[in-house]
Amino acid sequence: MSHDPAHGTPPGKGGAGASAPFVASAALGPEAHVMVGNADLFVNWARKSSLWYLLFATACCGIELMQAGASRYDLDRFGAVFRATPRQSDLLLVAGTITHKMADRVKRLYEQMPEPKYVIAMGSCANTGGPFYKDSYCVVKGVDLLIPVDVYIPGCPPRPEALIDGIMKLQKIIMQRKNYGAKA
Amino acid sequence: MGLKEYMNDIVEAVTTTAKGMRITARYGVDPKEEVTLQYPEERWEIPAGYRGFLNNDVKTCTACTMCVKVCPVDCISLESVRGADKKMVLASYDINIGRCMYCGLCVEVCPPKSLKHTSGYEMASVARGELILHFIAEDAAEIKARVARQVAEAAVKAEAAKAADLSSDLSSEAARAAKEEAAKGEPKK
Amino acid sequence: MTVRTDALPTQEMTINMGPQHPSTHGVLRVILTTDGEVVTRAVPDVGYLHRGLEKIGERVTYAQFMPFTDRLDYLAAMNCNCAWAWAVEKLAKIEVPERAEYLRVIVCELNRISSHLIAFGSYTADMGAFTPFLYAIRERERVNDLFEMLCGNRLTYNYARVGGVSGDAPPGFLEKTKEFLDYFEPKLDEYNNLISYNKIFVHRLANVAVIPAEEAVAYGLTGPNLRGSGVPFDLRKDEPYSVYPKFDFKVCVGTGERGTPGDCFDRYMVRINEMRESVRIVRQAVARIPDGPVMAKVPRLFKPPAGEAYFRSECPRGETGIYLISDGSVNPFRLKIRTGSFVAMNIFEKVTRGLMIADIVAVIGSLDIILPEIDR
Amino acid sequence: MEAQAIFDTLKGKFGDAVVELQGEGFSPAFVVVAPAAVKEVSRFLKEDPGLSFDVLMCLSGVDYKEKFAVAYHLHSLKRRHAIGMKAFLPRETPSLPTVDDVWPGANFHEREAFDLFGIVFEGSKDLRRILLPEDWEGHPLRKDYKYPDFYHGIKV
Amino acid sequence: MEALARSLMNAVPLLAGVPLWAVTLLLIVAAAVVILVFALTFEGVGSLVLRKVAGDIQARIGPNRVGPNGILQFLADGVKLVLKEDIIPANADRLLFKLAPYFVFVGSFAAFVVVPFGVGLIAADLNIGIYYVMAVTSLVVVGVLLAGWASNNKWALLGGMRAAAQIVSYEIPVGMALIPAVLVAGSLSLQDIVRSQGGLLGIFGWNLFHNPFSFFSFFLYFTAAQAETNQTPFDLPEAESELVSGYNVEYSGIRFGLFFLAEFGDMFIVAALATACFLGGWNVPFFHAATLPWIWGNLLSLGVFLAKAFTMVLIMMWVRWTLPRLRVDQLMRMAWKYLVPLTFINLLGVSLWLLVFKGKGIPAMIASLFG
């Protein structure tokens, strides 16, 4: 799913709104147009509402992840509990810088997670290498060079609300996924 | 391990545990203690100076590339071309918020104060490409072509104007020369 | 390597307390060779968050390096910002206005409180009590609100500038700070009742990983780790910089309250008491802050005179020393950042010999290390 | 005790091993020492009751383009004074004796100088790369370091 | 069950032709299904209540977006766990790996048989009630040890070893702390123990207030039981922060779900035993439940029993979210140097008390004073 970052989706309406510069509203994932049956709806609802995320905090975004899990923003409301082992978690929240020395560990963690797994790249370091894009010799320039990423959350570090917004967008994507019936 | 220490251990264990549990009980029972902000419905009001996503007011921007130079990460890419009236016309202005580190140095250094932080922070997207904000709607090539045409027209008009001046100079030259002959002619009488 | 060769020949087990572990405070890898539960050797392997900050320092200008100091120790970003600003000002001998120095002290001490809160919270979470961690984060959220109001960001502030601070305190900031201090002070006693003097917690911490005073000095430990061993050395008192001499506060030293001086419990209690002292400092600073400009006259393309300077300031995790060499150009020529966690990791292997696996977690928590400071 | 006084005592004791005093423009003044004599000078600095530099604050490698240097920042808790010690090294084979038996805290600093500069500390307890992966080629903080294109197949 | 089967056969003429053993078998299976449904729903709702209580204590809200006010959270967790990929580590011991969760679940579920839910509501009123519970719950140790060994993971191995050491050495205090109730009631069967606490003495009929030693042994039992079910001050086997979640490191999907359910099953068993032995089981204070007609008597007693058991579970959760975790050697020291001696002294005290006062507790003596 990694592709050349330079190309952007064609811009929407012209003119810069006061707060929202115009970027085409994010398409809801590759299978946005698929008709989803009832069995899928129930299964997707179950998967969406118990997203156990792996406690994987490498750098500053890890602190925002902790604060999102704490009392004020409370990820537990969404059924998202942190798990210590990749075996029991289905969401890999890459929060922080991934250096080359850490790269194969991230791949191994991703492969250890049981199948319906999702990845959120949180923060500029995970999206594109962020502040260390230009001059650092040992930072992986974006975690999608290593593992397929479902949702990118911009911010350095993104606010806990931005993280919850990213998780809710991931939940919408999960609701679209088609598991049973003939593949379209 | 004397008997006194043994009993003291037990008593201390029970009292400290009870003290701790009294505090957690107070939190458990008292609903006022709850500080949760249910995000999608209740939102934290963002203070004025919050450094959210960047937004460049394209009209007042003078394409002076100060922000491009000061950014430690080079996430602002700007193309501009010199317009007919010698001022720079913005062809494309993109900020890659996937790489930006929200340090605010560019906002401080921007002379016309067109680049400002908005209070937006919700831009979770599915594709990495969507993290690049384009502030000029039109495609860069079209703008360049249009500006090039304008410059060409201006040049042609300038040519015509110059030619006209030239000819007028010639004629005025000729007229002045003729006047001089006349003037020279007359004083000899 | 004691291998018991009596009836049943047993073998030692090497475990990877790998880069991804719930209680290594980030991406630290400790290679444990254990004999059952008892650890015979724990070798730390760092570098999983090495981002080449010093190489970046040589390629960006002095002003552009300020946001990178946020990423140096993201729990105490203000202290690192100000440390960088003070270091460059010491090299270039720039005079900073009084109000800017007061603002710097206020934000540094507030950040010390929020950094010690995370240290306290994650330490109790490592020991198994998850509730104090959430109370600590709730208090830290209120400090984040103050900083967000002041400089616009919750974690990476980029607030200090060479020659002053980026912006004056918005109206209502000082009142809100006073409000937070009044709210926060009784909370410390509540934490002490809840967890600090809890019998199980004390048993887990007292007499574990004792670092005697001379060994702490020999290994170059600084900050709460050094003061925990009973050495009353605090840079704000012994090598005063900025306007610290104007405030009176106590240097908290480990006294072996519940065990021998220099054990994990002492280092923990030094941090709790230091929060109380920081509250006192911020109260005095808020009361006596003068008016005036917040930024000295510094040219945009700032070129310091050629020379070398070493400045060290008291960060929550120990002394952050910045050795700055400038050759008169716009970019620093060489930049070495020495941090408290890097040195604390140095003593880790010697201190953890013969402890149990649960104590390894206790030692990591008591040294309060943070990975970007170790790896830079 | 003032830097000049420290320099004189060292000059008196070690003679030409102590090269010069970099005072002006250096905020803790530097005593420049010949690389071979680093261990004796540092042992003397630590044990001598008058100086008693018992804390090695910071040990940093420096690449001065034509030669390397290792800068030691020393501080004394008893006397509350600080001094810098510097040893210049040739660029081709930068190596000098270790000081981690004088100050145990030096080990991590030396490993970092080895890792990022390639300065070899003879006799060091454990000289391995500390920050970079074991199989990383080159020493990044050298001025002439060229960034690698790929590492384990990932674009740098 | 035969008496019930025979009375059912006389009542329903249609069943006359069916052999007796078939009807009893049918009844047993029906009772088992009812208890299984109760156990699974309790364990599901228990996991939701645990997170709600945690939220309450930690000044936040627990799950409230899945279903109305978070009610369906456990359903979502369950369905998701069932549909997860079934991973068995490469060179793990496949058979034992698959077997371990069933041992643990069976071990904790089998103890539901003797829980005295109501006046007549008990699956099988075994006359060796408590002895049977002690025997069955020790099956959990085998399951956890298997899980630790089979998943070929060093953390899991350590978790398994810790679990074996902990549960085995806390069986003794748990057993000893329950004996006073047996001595007072004079029988191992849980129904008898509960009936012995009845009578019109109301709350003071409970074993808790029978004599100071039994009062003390309730608290000893509660601490040891907290260790028996791996709750926080003693949750070393799956220590989240030390052993990366202990013996269930390699388990994912419904296998982990079984461990999860078994943990809550244990919690309920321990709470049920505490209620039955010390807090008067299904006895309604100042009221004789047996006198009511058949349906209402059972319902009322069931309600009272569940109320008491749930408060005990809530207290265990409350302790779970307050205290830090012990170290392994402190755990052993606490078991062998503190709990075991204290329970023995306690046992001696109770038996001497019964000998001296010929089986009457303080409340009974005071009642007899007033005639």
Side-chain angles (χ1 to χ4, degrees), chain D residues 13-42:
Chain D
K13 180 120 179 49
F14 291 95
D16 57 6
V18 176
V19 176
E20 51 149 346
L21 174 72
Q22 293 180 329
E24 193 273 332
F26 295 84
S27 71
F30 273 93
V31 175
V32 180
V33 172
V38 158
K39 190 188 279 293
E40 293 74 30
V41 172
S42 45

Short mmCIF file of all heavy atoms in Angstrom, two decimals, chain D residues 13-42:
data_model
loop_
_atom_site.label_atom_id
_atom_site.label_comp_id
_atom_site.label_asym_id
_atom_site.label_seq_id
_atom_site.Cartn_x
_atom_site.Cartn_y
_atom_site.Cartn_z
N LYS D 13 54.08 18.87 37.07
CA LYS D 13 54.17 17.42 37.37
C LYS D 13 54.52 16.64 36.12
O LYS D 13 55.31 15.69 36.17
CB LYS D 13 52.81 16.94 37.92
CG LYS D 13 52.69 15.48 38.28
CD LYS D 13 52.34 15.31 39.76
CE LYS D 13 52.20 13.84 40.13
NZ LYS D 13 53.35 13.04 39.64
N PHE D 14 53.91 17.00 34.96
CA PHE D 14 54.07 16.09 33.80
C PHE D 14 54.96 16.69 32.72
O PHE D 14 55.20 16.07 31.73
CB PHE D 14 52.69 15.78 33.19
CG PHE D 14 51.84 14.94 34.09
CD1 PHE D 14 50.93 15.52 34.95
CD2 PHE D 14 52.01 13.56 34.11
CE1 PHE D 14 50.18 14.74 35.80
CE2 PHE D 14 51.25 12.79 34.96
CZ PHE D 14 50.33 13.37 35.81
N GLY D 15 55.38 17.96 32.91
CA GLY D 15 56.31 18.49 31.93
C GLY D 15 55.68 18.62 30.57
O GLY D 15 54.57 19.16 30.43
N ASP D 16 56.34 18.02 29.52
CA ASP D 16 55.89 18.35 28.15
C ASP D 16 54.66 17.53 27.76
O ASP D 16 54.03 17.77 26.75
CB ASP D 16 57.04 18.10 27.15
CG ASP D 16 57.52 16.64 27.27
OD1 ASP D 16 56.83 15.90 28.04
OD2 ASP D 16 58.50 16.26 26.66
N ALA D 17 54.26 16.56 28.61
CA ALA D 17 53.04 15.81 28.22
C ALA D 17 51.86 16.78 28.19
O ALA D 17 50.92 16.64 27.43
CB ALA D 17 52.76 14.70 29.24
N VAL D 18 51.94 17.81 29.07
CA VAL D 18 50.85 18.80 29.08
C VAL D 18 51.24 19.90 28.07
O VAL D 18 52.23 20.60 28.27
CB VAL D 18 50.72 19.41 30.50
CG1 VAL D 18 49.67 20.50 30.48
CG2 VAL D 18 50.40 18.32 31.49
N VAL D 19 50.48 20.02 26.97
CA VAL D 19 50.95 20.85 25.85
C VAL D 19 50.66 22.32 26.14
O VAL D 19 51.55 23.14 26.30
CB VAL D 19 50.26 20.39 24.55
CG1 VAL D 19 50.68 21.30 23.41
CG2 VAL D 19 50.59 18.93 24.27
N GLU D 20 49.35 22.68 26.26
CA GLU D 20 49.06 24.12 26.41
C GLU D 20 47.73 24.27 27.14
O GLU D 20 47.04 23.29 27.41
CB GLU D 20 48.96 24.78 25.03
CG GLU D 20 48.01 24.03 24.11
CD GLU D 20 47.30 24.94 23.10
OE1 GLU D 20 47.35 26.18 23.29
OE2 GLU D 20 46.67 24.38 22.20
N LEU D 21 47.37 25.55 27.44
CA LEU D 21 46.09 25.84 28.10
C LEU D 21 45.25 26.67 27.14
O LEU D 21 45.67 27.75 26.70
CB LEU D 21 46.35 26.65 29.38
CG LEU D 21 45.06 27.15 30.10
CD1 LEU D 21 44.34 25.97 30.75
CD2 LEU D 21 45.40 28.20 31.15
N GLN D 22 44.12 26.12 26.72
CA GLN D 22 43.23 26.92 25.86
C GLN D 22 42.31 27.71 26.78
O GLN D 22 41.34 27.17 27.31
CB GLN D 22 42.39 25.99 24.97
CG GLN D 22 43.21 25.23 23.93
CD GLN D 22 42.30 24.33 23.08
OE1 GLN D 22 41.28 23.85 23.56
NE2 GLN D 22 42.69 24.12 21.84
N GLY D 23 42.62 28.95 27.02
CA GLY D 23 41.84 29.71 28.01
C GLY D 23 40.82 30.61 27.35
O GLY D 23 39.62 30.55 27.63
N GLU D 24 41.30 31.40 26.39
CA GLU D 24 40.45 32.49 25.89
C GLU D 24 39.40 31.92 24.93
O GLU D 24 39.72 31.09 24.08
CB GLU D 24 41.38 33.51 25.16
CG GLU D 24 40.72 34.84 24.87
CD GLU D 24 39.99 34.77 23.53
OE1 GLU D 24 40.47 33.95 22.69
OE2 GLU D 24 38.97 35.44 23.36
N GLY D 25 38.14 32.26 25.14
CA GLY D 25 37.10 31.79 24.22
C GLY D 25 36.58 30.42 24.60
O GLY D 25 35.68 29.89 23.96
N PHE D 26 37.13 29.82 25.66
CA PHE D 26 36.64 28.49 26.07
C PHE D 26 36.03 28.66 27.46
O PHE D 26 36.76 29.04 28.39
CB PHE D 26 37.80 27.48 26.14
CG PHE D 26 38.41 27.23 24.79
CD1 PHE D 26 39.39 28.08 24.28
CD2 PHE D 26 37.98 26.15 24.02
CE1 PHE D 26 39.93 27.87 23.03
CE2 PHE D 26 38.53 25.94 22.77
CZ PHE D 26 39.51 26.79 22.27
N SER D 27 34.70 28.42 27.61
CA SER D 27 34.14 28.84 28.92
C SER D 27 34.58 27.93 30.04
O SER D 27 34.95 28.45 31.08
CB SER D 27 32.61 28.90 28.82
OG SER D 27 32.14 27.58 28.71
N PRO D 28 34.66 26.57 29.99
CA PRO D 28 35.59 25.97 30.95
C PRO D 28 36.92 25.81 30.22
O PRO D 28 36.96 25.22 29.15
CB PRO D 28 34.98 24.61 31.28
CG PRO D 28 34.10 24.29 30.13
CD PRO D 28 33.88 25.51 29.32
N ALA D 29 37.96 26.37 30.73
CA ALA D 29 39.25 26.35 30.02
C ALA D 29 39.68 24.90 29.80
O ALA D 29 39.33 24.01 30.57
CB ALA D 29 40.29 27.07 30.87
N PHE D 30 40.46 24.67 28.72
CA PHE D 30 40.88 23.31 28.37
C PHE D 30 42.39 23.17 28.58
O PHE D 30 43.16 24.04 28.15
CB PHE D 30 40.57 23.02 26.90
CG PHE D 30 39.19 22.48 26.71
CD1 PHE D 30 38.13 23.32 26.42
CD2 PHE D 30 38.95 21.12 26.86
CE1 PHE D 30 36.86 22.82 26.28
CE2 PHE D 30 37.67 20.62 26.72
CZ PHE D 30 36.62 21.47 26.43
N VAL D 31 42.78 22.08 29.21
CA VAL D 31 44.21 21.74 29.29
C VAL D 31 44.46 20.72 28.18
O VAL D 31 43.82 19.65 28.17
CB VAL D 31 44.54 21.11 30.68
CG1 VAL D 31 45.97 20.65 30.70
CG2 VAL D 31 44.24 22.10 31.78
N VAL D 32 45.31 21.06 27.24
CA VAL D 32 45.56 20.12 26.13
C VAL D 32 46.68 19.18 26.55
O VAL D 32 47.72 19.62 27.09
CB VAL D 32 45.95 20.89 24.86
CG1 VAL D 32 46.21 19.91 23.73
CG2 VAL D 32 44.84 21.86 24.48
N VAL D 33 46.43 17.90 26.36
CA VAL D 33 47.35 16.87 26.88
C VAL D 33 47.73 15.97 25.71
O VAL D 33 46.93 15.78 24.78
CB VAL D 33 46.61 16.04 27.98
CG1 VAL D 33 47.44 14.85 28.41
CG2 VAL D 33 46.23 16.92 29.14
N ALA D 34 48.93 15.41 25.76
CA ALA D 34 49.33 14.44 24.73
C ALA D 34 48.50 13.17 24.92
O ALA D 34 48.28 12.76 26.07
CB ALA D 34 50.82 14.12 24.86
N PRO D 35 48.05 12.56 23.82
CA PRO D 35 47.14 11.40 23.97
C PRO D 35 47.74 10.30 24.85
O PRO D 35 47.04 9.68 25.66
CB PRO D 35 46.95 10.90 22.54
CG PRO D 35 47.38 12.01 21.65
CD PRO D 35 48.31 12.87 22.43
N ALA D 36 49.05 10.04 24.72
CA ALA D 36 49.61 8.89 25.46
C ALA D 36 49.47 9.11 26.96
O ALA D 36 49.26 8.16 27.73
CB ALA D 36 51.08 8.70 25.09
N ALA D 37 49.53 10.39 27.41
CA ALA D 37 49.62 10.63 28.87
C ALA D 37 48.24 10.81 29.48
O ALA D 37 48.11 11.20 30.65
CB ALA D 37 50.43 11.90 29.12
N VAL D 38 47.18 10.53 28.72
CA VAL D 38 45.83 10.83 29.23
C VAL D 38 45.56 10.07 30.53
O VAL D 38 45.09 10.64 31.52
CB VAL D 38 44.79 10.46 28.13
CG1 VAL D 38 43.43 10.24 28.75
CG2 VAL D 38 44.73 11.56 27.10
N LYS D 39 45.96 8.78 30.57
CA LYS D 39 45.58 8.00 31.74
C LYS D 39 46.26 8.52 33.00
O LYS D 39 45.62 8.77 34.02
CB LYS D 39 45.93 6.52 31.52
CG LYS D 39 45.35 5.57 32.56
CD LYS D 39 45.89 4.17 32.40
CE LYS D 39 45.15 3.40 31.29
NZ LYS D 39 43.73 3.14 31.65
N GLU D 40 47.59 8.81 32.90
CA GLU D 40 48.29 9.28 34.12
C GLU D 40 47.71 10.63 34.57
O GLU D 40 47.39 10.83 35.74
CB GLU D 40 49.79 9.45 33.85
CG GLU D 40 50.56 8.16 33.57
CD GLU D 40 50.23 7.66 32.17
OE1 GLU D 40 49.95 8.54 31.31
OE2 GLU D 40 50.19 6.44 31.97
N VAL D 41 47.52 11.53 33.60
CA VAL D 41 47.04 12.87 34.00
C VAL D 41 45.67 12.74 34.67
O VAL D 41 45.41 13.31 35.73
CB VAL D 41 46.94 13.79 32.73
CG1 VAL D 41 46.26 15.10 33.09
CG2 VAL D 41 48.33 14.03 32.17
N SER D 42 44.81 11.89 34.07
CA SER D 42 43.46 11.82 34.66
C SER D 42 43.52 11.15 36.04
O SER D 42 42.83 11.57 36.98
CB SER D 42 42.53 11.02 33.74
OG SER D 42 43.19 9.86 33.29
#
